[in-house]
Amino acid sequence: MNCIHIVGNRPQFIKLALLHQAISLHTPFQQKILHTGQHYDKTMSDVFFNELKIPAPDYQLKINRLPHHTQIGRMTEKIGNILATEKNSGVIIYGDTNTSLAGALAAKKNHLPIAHVEAGIRTGDERMPEESNRYLTDRLSDINFCPTTLCKKNLEEEGVPDSKIAVTGDIMLDAWKHAWERIYNGAVLEKVPPHHYVVATIHREENNESPARLQSIVEALNEIRKTIPVIMPCHPKTKKKIKELGIKIHFQLQGPCSYLQMVRLLDHAAYVITDSGGFCREAFFSGKPSLVIMDRPFWPEIIEQQQCLQTAATRQAILDNFQLLQKVPIKYDETIFGQGDAAKRMATILAQEWSQ
Ligand code: UD1
């Protein structure tokens, strides 16, 4: 039996690094990596493969810069053709991107077993491209690895049978702990940031594709920066939009960070402002209060803990909620996302399920 990991986006590379290693240690499977090319910039892809010591992809499709439907269609076709030659394989899918859905469709049509890492997340916002990717990928998968018990409950409510669900904890917690070990053990980082600032990231379509929302977010960050420095490691797409719209920035805008740099940047930060589901979880692991700019955030688990507040994308709402964020008492239940051993649990389950 072989395993084929299908990845294409920055957060998927981070999860792949951990699960690839755990499968090497805890299963007899041979592994291959298929990279769709959805993220292709050096800073969005190569940096992660190098820093996290991920083997080079066996297949590289270079499919990017396309509308969602075309991207999913083209990826499904190309992945399907490859999987047709990989008959004795299980397929591992990560998260909720176009790469995830295309990989799941292509695997299903080739009658290959599918495991989905980060299953069961729901926002209820059908306009988000990721929401249909999540729902459909979960439905197509034979094993749904849920990061939390709420994710399991979401799947149960949709009628997914128990036999297809495993709560493993969040593999991002494994990744974050692993990164910390490397930093403590002296991993060399190019730039060590100063202390006490807001670290902000914006990349989600609902914020990027709306000039009014993007303008409001930047204006709010410009205002916040008058009282505390703001650093934004910027997705290339967001940078392009800001430039196109001629929006004036008065805070520190820089290129994307590597994973270790990001963990370090977070450690020295006082607060996080983001629309990333991964980064607000990492803020939680680091004990940093975060403000999430999304109409319907996908981690109610963290919002319940009050370590994360949700805000609308208007200038005033962001400023008001940022004030509030500085006052809320923090409750912190460390167990929500498991013990940081999700990758090992997943590998153990795969060894049982796929060896039969
Ligand atoms: C994608 C995922 C999102 C995930 C995010 C992680 C979908 C629908 N969205 O969003 O769920 O949270 O990845 O970062 O799959 N671009 C570059 N360089 C790159 C990559 C992208 O310039 O290396 C630009 C391109 O113009 C591209 C645009 O960003 O067309 C959008 O990229 P895409 O990969 O489609 O979506 P993300 O916004 O990154």
Side-chain angles (χ1 to χ4, degrees):
M1 184 81 169
N2 295 325
C3 284
I4 302 194
H5 303 262
I6 299 185
V7 291
N9 306 64
R10 176 167 64 170
Q12 292 168 340
F13 309 142
I14 299 167
K15 292 161 202 157
L16 165 67
L18 277 292
L19 189 52
H20 193 282
Q21 195 187 34
I23 288 176
S24 300
L25 289 172
H26 303 289
T27 83
F29 304 147
Q30 298 296 311
Q31 303 186 68
K32 288 191 177 173
I33 297 171
L34 188 160
H35 188 325
T36 61
Q38 189 174 344
H39 283 175
Y40 50 91
D41 282 349
K42 265 200 165 59
T43 55
M44 299 285 285
S45 176
D46 298 8
V47 148
F48 293 88
F49 277 79
N50 295 336
E51 185 180 80
L52 303 176
K53 303 183 172 60
I54 306 168
D58 299 272
Y59 302 104
Q60 173 61 268
L61 303 187
K62 300 198 169 112
I63 300 173
N64 47 53
R65 293 181 194 251
L66 294 167
H68 293 304
H69 56 283
T70 318
Q71 193 170 58
I72 293 168
R74 223 167 267 179
M75 284 178 187
T76 307
E77 181 186 353
K78 292 250 171 97
I79 299 170
N81 290 341
I82 292 167
L83 294 184
T85 66
E86 296 277 0
K87 280 300 181 193
N88 187 31
S89 299
V91 175
I92 303 176
I93 306 287
Y94 298 80
D96 58 11
T97 71
N98 293 339
T99 291
S100 322
L101 176 57
L105 278 169
K108 198 71 183 176
K109 296 299 171 193
N110 277 287
H111 308 294
L112 300 179
I114 305 168
H116 184 205
V117 176
E118 221 171 65
I121 301 164
R122 297 288 181 272
T123 62
D125 183 354
E126 300 265 325
R127 293 166 312 155
M128 277 181 90
E130 291 83 2
E131 189 73 359
S132 48
N133 291 345
R134 283 178 200 126
Y135 178 79
L136 293 167
T137 306
D138 291 343
R139 297 308 293 227
L140 292 170
S141 296
D142 302 285
I143 309 173
N144 285 289
F145 291 130
C146 293
T148 68
T149 49
L150 180 61
C151 295
K152 177 176 194 249
K153 190 164 159 267
N154 291 337
L155 293 181
E156 284 170 345
E157 281 171 4
E158 289 169 11
V160 177
D162 245 22
S163 57
K164 291 190 171 186
I165 305 173
V167 180
T168 54
D170 186 1
I171 196 167
M172 288 303 285
L173 179 57
D174 302 27
W176 180 81
K177 284 187 165 178
H178 196 256
W180 258 118
E181 267 165 38
R182 285 186 62 191
I183 292 170
Y184 270 128
N185 288 326
V188 180
L189 298 178
E190 258 173 46
K191 277 184 267 174
V192 177
H195 282 267
H196 199 73
Y197 46 80
V198 173
V199 56
T201 74
I202 296 297
H203 79 278
R204 207 153 284 288
E205 193 169 283
E206 71 189 67
N207 292 325
N208 250 335
E209 294 301 318
S210 156
R213 288 176 76 113
L214 193 55
Q215 174 94 36
S216 303
I217 293 168
V218 171
E219 278 176 12
L221 293 174
N222 282 342
E223 192 61 33
I224 288 169
R225 158 265 168 204
K226 290 178 184 164
T227 53
I228 176 169
V230 175
I231 301 177
M232 179 186 277
C234 201
H235 191 301
K237 172 183 70 175
T238 311
K239 204 167 186 179
K240 193 163 157 243
K241 281 279 167 195
I242 288 172
K243 205 169 163 203
E244 273 170 18
L245 295 168
I247 301 173
K248 295 270 174 296
I249 303 269
H250 300 303
F251 51 85
Q252 186 182 328
L253 192 75
Q254 60 184 51
C257 288
S258 77
Y259 186 57
L260 293 191
Q261 283 166 347
M262 205 64 186
V263 170
R264 175 67 121 190
L265 192 63
L266 188 54
D267 181 49
H268 289 197
Y271 304 100
V272 167
I273 300 180
T274 188
D275 62 2
S276 158
F279 198 43
C280 70
R281 254 137 78 216
E282 285 158 353
F284 183 77
F285 305 151
S286 309
K288 309 287 171 171
S290 65
L291 192 58
V292 173
I293 308 176
M294 276 182 70
D295 293 338
R296 305 245 201 127
F298 26 51
W299 295 104
E301 293 94 333
I302 311 182
I303 292 187
E304 270 169 25
Q305 296 288 310
Q306 297 187 343
Q307 195 188 315
C308 175
L309 296 183
Q310 175 194 2
T311 179
T314 65
R315 179 182 178 279
Q316 201 52 50
I318 296 169
L319 293 176
D320 290 348
N321 280 302
F322 185 64
Q323 285 296 322
L324 213 57
L325 192 72
Q326 297 170 60
K327 291 183 198 132
V328 289
I330 292 173
K331 290 190 277 167
Y332 182 49
D333 177 357
E334 285 186 33
T335 61
I336 296 173
F337 293 99
Q339 311 295 327
D341 59 356
K344 184 178 171 192
R345 285 168 183 258
M346 289 176 197
T348 309
I349 293 170
L350 291 178
Q352 281 161 7
E353 295 288 322
W354 288 356
S355 298
Q356 290 158 12

